[in-house]
Amino acid sequence: PHSPHSLFSTTPSTTWDGTSMSQTDMMQKDMLITTTSHDEILGSESKYIAHAFSPSSPRGVVHRAFSVFLFHPLTSKMLLTRRAASKITFPDVWTNACCSHPLHGLDPDEVDSNGREEVEVRGVRTGGVKNAAVRKLRHELGVEGMEVEGFHFVTRFHYWAADTLTYGRNPEWGEHEIDYILFAVGDPEMELNGEEVSEVMWVGMEELKEMFEDPDMLWSPWFKGIMDRKGYEYWNNLDAIVSSGNDEYVDKEIRYFDPDKEFYADYNL
């Protein structure tokens, strides 16, 4: 097992240029924010170590993540993306618009720490994960012009899943995240980064439900888990969620779920 690094400085140190890094580079160089199961910051750890699963570390290291759910302004359809085949964890699966991690040591700051001065939403700081969402939408989908004000925090999900889809019953990789759910509305011009996303599509609610029943389609465990729980309810209340100043649907409690049994490694049983 690997213990997290010591508590880090709150001083941002650098910008991030994903265009110059391979998937392996990002696994080694991206420093994730490690937390307790209650989302209390412990320190930082490399993306590699945080996602490494094994009998001695059967759920990796808990870390912060975010999931952007993007909806079309005219139809309220949801944008789905298919993760590229080159992704190390959960390649080729369909998921929501953007799924990634806030990182330590960047400018703009992506660490929502207790010492940070910012407006809270029902006691939850979200400015850092929103900065991360702007960065990754640009990197993965080529989306320019998204502002942090366009993201609306809904809730957090704590989940884990071993990548048995890709690596079989004893996978070396998985996810264990406190996942911040961010809603946004827009129809941006996109230029897909082929190292991150292979294709996209806009879908309606009933269409998505039918797609989930298609045995030939693979889905990320976090997206399916979120939709199976509160996702459709949030979608039905999209207008209220994105209304300025309306935090009726903001849930400060962390919702925990285990994955479907297909995402248990043998060492998780």
Side-chain angles (χ1 to χ4, degrees):
H2 298 268
S3 59
H5 296 171
S6 60
L7 285 176
F8 41 70
S9 167
T10 57
T11 303
S13 61
T14 186
T15 56
W16 185 90
D17 180 14
T19 61
S20 65
M21 291 191 289
S22 68
Q23 294 292 322
T24 301
D25 289 337
M26 284 184 271
M27 289 295 268
Q28 297 286 354
K29 296 178 181 180
D30 283 358
M31 298 304 296
L32 308 191
I33 302 162
T34 59
T35 71
T36 68
S37 60
H38 302 293
D39 198 26
E40 299 158 328
I41 293 176
L42 293 176
S44 63
E45 190 57 272
S46 72
K47 188 177 179 181
Y48 180 99
I49 294 299
H51 290 84
F53 275 39
S54 68
S56 62
S57 183
R59 297 188 183 184
V61 178
V62 186
H63 54 276
R64 279 189 185 162
F66 65 85
S67 286
V68 173
F69 287 71
L70 183 63
F71 301 91
H72 195 281
L74 299 180
T75 64
S76 296
K77 287 187 174 184
M78 180 192 293
L79 183 69
L80 300 183
T81 61
R82 189 177 187 183
R83 289 165 65 86
S86 57
K87 298 288 286 183
I88 293 174
T89 58
F90 296 98
D92 279 331
V93 303
W94 285 94
T95 193
N96 47 285
C98 182
C99 327
S100 193
H101 312 90
L103 301 180
H104 160 60
L106 299 190
D107 183 10
D109 189 10
E110 297 181 1
V111 181
D112 290 303
S113 63
N114 289 334
R116 182 184 178 122
E117 294 184 5
E118 66 164 78
V119 176
E120 297 181 355
V121 182
R122 291 200 173 182
V124 182
R125 295 177 175 86
T126 60
V129 293
K130 291 177 180 179
N131 284 335
V134 170
R135 172 176 59 83
K136 286 300 289 183
L137 279 172
R138 181 185 303 117
H139 173 236
E140 295 188 4
L141 299 177
V143 173
E144 300 287 352
M146 287 290 290
E147 303 289 343
V148 293
E149 293 79 12
F151 295 101
H152 304 270
F153 170 71
V154 181
T155 190
R156 292 168 289 179
F157 283 92
H158 178 186
Y159 79 95
W160 67 275
D163 190 0
T164 54
L165 289 179
T166 309
Y167 302 104
R169 299 305 312 165
N170 289 285
E172 299 178 357
W173 304 106
E175 293 284 3
H176 193 173
E177 300 181 329
I178 306 285
D179 194 7
Y180 284 62
I181 309 305
L182 303 175
F183 272 28
V185 173
D187 181 20
E189 292 186 10
M190 290 181 275
E191 185 175 344
L192 305 188
N193 178 348
E195 289 294 306
E196 296 286 338
V197 175
S198 60
E199 53 185 311
V200 301
M201 69 171 75
W202 294 96
V203 299
M205 192 178 298
E206 295 306 315
E207 184 180 4
L208 178 60
K209 291 177 181 178
E210 292 177 4
M211 292 168 68
F212 277 147
E213 299 300 319
D214 184 345
D216 294 327
M217 297 193 74
L218 300 178
W219 301 93
S220 75
W222 58 89
F223 177 58
K224 185 66 162 55
I226 291 165
M227 296 309 299
D228 283 347
R229 286 156 179 84
K230 298 280 285 185
Y232 295 111
E233 178 183 339
Y234 297 143
W235 195 349
N236 277 322
N237 291 283
L238 174 63
D239 289 343
I241 288 172
V242 301
S243 295
S244 178
N246 187 345
D247 63 357
E248 177 184 355
Y249 289 93
V250 173
D251 186 356
K252 69 178 182 179
E253 301 301 322
I254 301 172
R255 298 178 175 274
Y256 181 88
F257 66 88
D258 289 319
D260 293 340
K261 292 301 182 183
E262 66 178 308
F263 296 110
Y264 280 65
D266 285 345
Y267 49 72
N268 294 130
L269 298 175

